[in-house]
Amino acid sequence: MNTLLILTILIVICALVFDFINGFHDTANAIATSVSTKALKPRHAIIMAAIMNFLGAMTFTGVAKTITKDIVNPYTLDNGSIVILAALLAAIAWNLITWYFGIPSSSSHAIIGAIAGAAIAASGFATLNYKGFIKIIEALILSPIIAFVLGFIVYSIVKLIFKDSNLAKTNKRFRRVQILTAAIQSYTHGTNDAQKAMGIITMALMTANLHNSDAIPFWVQLSCAIAMGLGTSIGGWKIIKTVGGKIMKIRPVNGVSADLTGAAIIFGATFIHLPVSTTHVISSSILGVGASHRVKGVNWGTAKRMLITWVITLPISGTLGAIAFFILDIFF
């Protein structure tokens, strides 16, 4: 068995591990509000999220194609297989570190930063596809800002519509609606996040001359969907605790507003084939809703910690990707 084939097999395994970790790391955000308001029991929320993530992952491939070709050109990338493997190992490491400390970090930032860092280490800054890379970075930066503003607007409208309603009865009705909105948000998560691993595996196949286009093979789509679903079934209680309770005290009416906002932003990004951070979109939606509800009711200390993580993930994952490349290059 030649070295290139061994590297490709390792990449497929690591990409599925990354997708599995993404399942319990990022998917926790999608069900955090419904669990915190007791709209769904944790076990039921996780089962529902696993199914909806699987279905979402099987529906679209546009984001995967963006990952495949818009960061670097897989056909011209020096030591491409080593670069991709290094990026995966770096992103997995950062995801596990942030999960351990219960920090809602972005798997999207981690893998995109790691690919860029490893590619630069291999071939220099000129190797990046700057047009595509900048487009991805813009989406990662703008989507949480849009989510915050939209969350503020959506909840302001909800407050206006239900201003004369009985609060207890309104929350009871919204608790039922939240089951649906949590399912929608889990589905949209699958449409965007699972595709990142699909794109990476396809990039590796192209680099190894085992695949000749950016079309996503069905076996890649299915395996990534299964890995995402299995990861979701494990749950991510540390992240649920942070997103569902440490940002603000969430009531069902807040949760529905945040879920609808997050789902709209994520699905919109999927529709135009752009990867976004579901973690930061959902968290920013909750912050926007919280600010509209009562500014002083938001734990801005938690928000600040999340913002810091948002800023540092790209450079740290890029550095880890470069380090991982230099280490792997010694052995391969």
Side-chain angles (χ1 to χ4, degrees):
M1 189 179 292
N2 63 46
T3 303
L4 186 57
L5 183 58
I6 292 172
L7 283 169
T8 304
I9 292 170
L10 288 174
I11 288 168
V12 172
I13 292 170
C14 287
L16 294 178
V17 169
F18 173 78
D19 220 20
F20 178 85
I21 293 170
N22 192 320
F24 70 75
H25 186 278
D26 281 23
T27 307
N29 298 286
I31 58 174
T33 59
S34 61
V35 171
S36 66
T37 61
K38 297 182 170 58
L40 284 166
K41 293 180 179 179
R43 185 184 298 274
H44 296 162
I46 288 172
I47 292 171
M48 178 204 70
I51 294 169
M52 297 308 293
N53 265 279
F54 175 82
L55 293 175
M58 291 300 296
T59 310
F60 297 94
T61 60
V63 173
K65 292 179 180 179
T66 297
I67 294 292
T68 300
K69 59 184 174 54
D70 278 14
I71 304 174
V72 292
N73 185 338
Y75 291 120
T76 60
L77 186 62
D78 292 337
N79 296 312
S81 295
I82 300 176
V83 167
I84 298 168
L85 182 58
L88 282 167
L89 292 174
I92 288 170
W94 183 243
N95 272 354
L96 289 176
I97 290 167
T98 52
W99 167 81
Y100 180 81
F101 289 103
I103 302 170
S105 173
S106 167
S107 294
S108 304
H109 284 58
I111 192 61
I112 290 166
I115 292 173
I120 290 168
S123 307
F125 285 91
T127 193
L128 293 182
N129 176 0
Y130 280 97
K131 183 179 179 181
F133 185 64
I134 290 171
K135 180 177 70 174
I136 291 170
I137 297 301
E138 286 175 346
L140 292 175
I141 292 172
L142 290 176
S143 54
I145 297 170
I146 296 170
F148 180 89
V149 174
L150 187 59
F152 188 96
I153 294 170
V154 167
Y155 189 69
S156 296
I157 294 171
V158 169
K159 280 195 302 181
L160 186 64
I161 294 172
F162 294 96
K163 65 178 180 178
D164 297 322
S165 301
N166 179 277
L167 182 60
K169 289 183 178 179
T170 301
N171 274 316
K172 187 175 181 180
R173 295 192 193 102
F174 271 87
R175 188 173 281 113
R176 298 192 189 101
V177 176
Q178 201 176 2
I179 297 171
L180 175 62
T181 59
I184 292 171
Q185 186 155 252
S186 295
Y187 172 80
T188 60
H189 177 273
T191 67
N192 201 283
D193 266 43
Q195 291 193 56
K196 289 147 194 171
M198 297 178 201
I200 290 165
I201 292 175
T202 304
M203 185 192 296
L205 296 175
M206 293 165 68
T207 300
N209 293 317
L210 298 173
H211 190 63
N212 58 9
S213 77
D214 63 359
I216 310 302
F218 177 75
W219 71 267
V220 173
Q221 187 176 14
L222 180 62
S223 59
C224 288
I226 291 171
M228 176 72 77
L230 289 174
T232 303
S233 68
I234 300 298
W237 303 114
K238 291 176 182 287
I239 306 297
I240 286 174
K241 187 177 179 181
T242 298
V243 175
K246 290 187 177 180
I247 297 176
M248 62 173 287
K249 184 178 181 181
I250 298 175
R251 294 182 175 87
V253 66
N254 309 131
V256 168
S257 301
D259 288 350
L260 289 175
T261 300
I265 299 295
I266 296 166
F267 189 73
T270 299
F271 187 74
I272 58 175
H273 302 172
L274 285 175
V276 295
S277 166
T278 55
T279 301
H280 292 132
V281 166
I282 294 169
S283 300
S284 297
S285 300
I286 296 172
L287 286 168
V289 168
S292 176
H293 179 70
R294 190 165 66 91
V295 174
K296 290 184 178 180
V298 176
N299 184 340
W300 295 107
T302 298
K304 181 180 178 181
R305 188 166 63 125
M306 289 164 51
L307 178 62
I308 292 170
T309 309
W310 177 35
V311 172
I312 67 173
T313 292
L314 272 171
I316 287 181
S317 60
T319 302
L320 290 174
I323 293 170
F325 172 80
F326 288 129
I327 293 172
L328 289 173
D329 195 41
I330 294 171
F331 296 99
F332 292 100

